[in-house]
Amino acid sequence: MFYKDWYAKLFGFGRVVPVIRGWGVYQKCMNFCLEKIDTGGWVHLFVEGKVNMDHRLLKLKWGAARLILDAKIPPIVLPMWHIGMDDFLPNRPPYIPQIGKKITLVVGNPMDVKNELKKLKEMNFTRVEIRKRITDLIEKELRAVRLQCEEMHHKLHNSR
């Protein structure tokens, strides 16, 4: 939720959909994201559910897995991790971009979980169990991408 009108306008240009923490995976904004996916659109999710201030991989939320499970055609997941964005644009006031900071972004391999979904459904897993398994798959891949990003960032920016 955006607490100031100008935040809503700014983030609206970036196609950001506000998610209310604690309202669960079936809130209106998640249904809106599902509609986007079902009509061939894309959504960008921050699967940790909040701004990560201390750079640890936090426990992932189940929202992405809910969208994958409920989509007419399961979308491709594109895991990514970045380092240095908060050096460029601090997470605390004053929110002033810092020119010249180093940012590293690693985009992992596309994940097609269609076969895994099919297998879990055939094994009669519950919807909650399927969401948990899919979330675990995404988390495993995200950990690998994070490690790549950390190694690349260190190699590119600390070896000079």
Side-chain angles (χ1 to χ4, degrees):
M1 179 179 324
F2 304 115
Y3 298 103
K4 296 183 180 180
D5 285 342
W6 72 274
Y7 283 167
K9 288 179 179 137
L10 173 69
F11 288 107
F13 286 122
R15 296 173 45 173
V16 174
V17 178
V19 175
I20 313 287
R21 276 184 253 162
W23 284 20
V25 297
Y26 293 101
Q27 58 183 286
K28 287 182 181 179
C29 60
M30 294 299 285
N31 294 339
F32 175 79
C33 290
L34 184 60
E35 289 173 19
K36 287 285 184 200
I37 292 168
D38 282 343
T39 57
W42 60 268
V43 296
H44 179 144
L45 300 174
F46 297 91
V47 291
E48 294 170 311
K50 65 180 184 177
V51 175
N52 186 342
M53 302 291 267
D54 59 6
H55 309 120
R56 292 179 297 125
L57 180 58
L58 304 173
K59 183 75 180 131
L60 302 188
K61 304 299 180 189
W62 291 4
R66 181 261 161 146
L67 295 175
I68 292 166
L69 177 59
D70 289 348
K72 292 176 184 170
I73 298 172
I76 300 296
V77 176
L78 194 58
M80 57 182 82
W81 192 269
H82 61 77
I83 296 174
M85 192 64 86
D86 56 336
D87 293 331
F88 169 71
L89 185 62
N91 290 324
R92 292 186 172 85
Y95 304 113
I96 299 170
Q98 305 296 305
I99 306 303
K101 298 298 181 177
K102 307 296 185 198
I103 299 170
T104 303
L105 169 68
V106 172
V107 179
N109 294 321
M111 298 174 62
D112 186 348
V113 297
K114 184 175 18 193
N115 292 334
E116 184 67 19
L117 266 179
K118 183 179 177 193
K119 182 177 82 173
L120 294 171
K121 288 177 183 179
E122 287 171 354
M123 294 171 66
N124 292 320
F125 277 75
T126 67
R127 292 179 59 75
V128 170
E129 291 169 329
I130 292 172
R131 286 198 321 247
K132 170 79 171 94
R133 295 284 181 113
I134 297 300
T135 300
D136 289 347
L137 283 174
I138 295 169
E139 187 171 327
K140 180 180 176 185
E141 186 62 26
L142 196 53
R143 284 184 189 285
V145 171
R146 175 189 177 195
L147 183 60
Q148 279 183 285
C149 190
E150 288 171 342
E151 290 172 356
M152 184 181 292
H153 190 78
H154 180 74
K155 193 180 296 184
L156 291 172
H157 305 299
N158 293 338
S159 62
R160 294 181 182 168

